[in-house]
């Protein structure tokens, strides 16, 4: 499902205009992004938790040349599904 399809479905379900839904949708995901950038986790009851995990710097290999390369440390966004979501998906 694409963002536009989600907004259309929310608008038809709630009776809100598409522009109002787009404002709320954008504000929600901007808030998620801002909190994750700060290093905070975002928990949505019944859905799951978004959080940042850190990967340490490490050495790897270029598969084409076999050359050893350095892979820099990085941060990654992870998601852990909540119990209600897991149960709904597994029905």
């Amino acid at each position: 499902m694409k963002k536009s399809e989600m907004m259309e479905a929310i608008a038809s379900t709630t009776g809100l205009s598409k522009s109002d839904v787009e404002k709320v949708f954008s504000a929600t995901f901007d808030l998620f992004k801002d909190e994750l950038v700060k290093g905070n986790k975002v928990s949505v009851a019944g859905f799951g938790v978004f959080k940042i995990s850190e990967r340490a710097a490490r050495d790897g290999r270029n598969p084409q040349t076999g050359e050893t390369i350095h892979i820099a440390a990085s941060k990654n966004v992870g998601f852990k599904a909540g119990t209600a979501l897991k149960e709904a998906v597994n029905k």
Side-chain angles (χ1 to χ4, degrees), residues 2-65:
K2 296 179 185 176
K3 179 181 175 181
S4 59
E5 295 169 333
M6 281 189 246
M7 289 190 293
E8 192 171 312
I10 293 169
S12 66
T13 301
T14 63
L16 296 171
S17 69
K18 288 182 185 178
S19 63
D20 287 342
V21 170
E22 184 174 1
K23 288 177 190 174
V24 172
F25 194 89
S26 294
T28 300
F29 285 97
D30 286 344
L31 179 62
F32 278 23
K33 180 183 70 176
D34 294 344
E35 289 301 310
L36 290 167
V37 166
K38 292 177 191 174
N40 300 328
K41 66 180 180 178
V42 177
S43 179
V44 180
F47 187 72
V49 178
F50 296 90
K51 67 179 182 176
I52 297 293
S53 61
E54 296 187 24
R55 290 185 171 180
R58 62 197 186 279
D59 289 329
R61 290 207 182 272
N62 179 334
Q64 291 180 341
T65 64

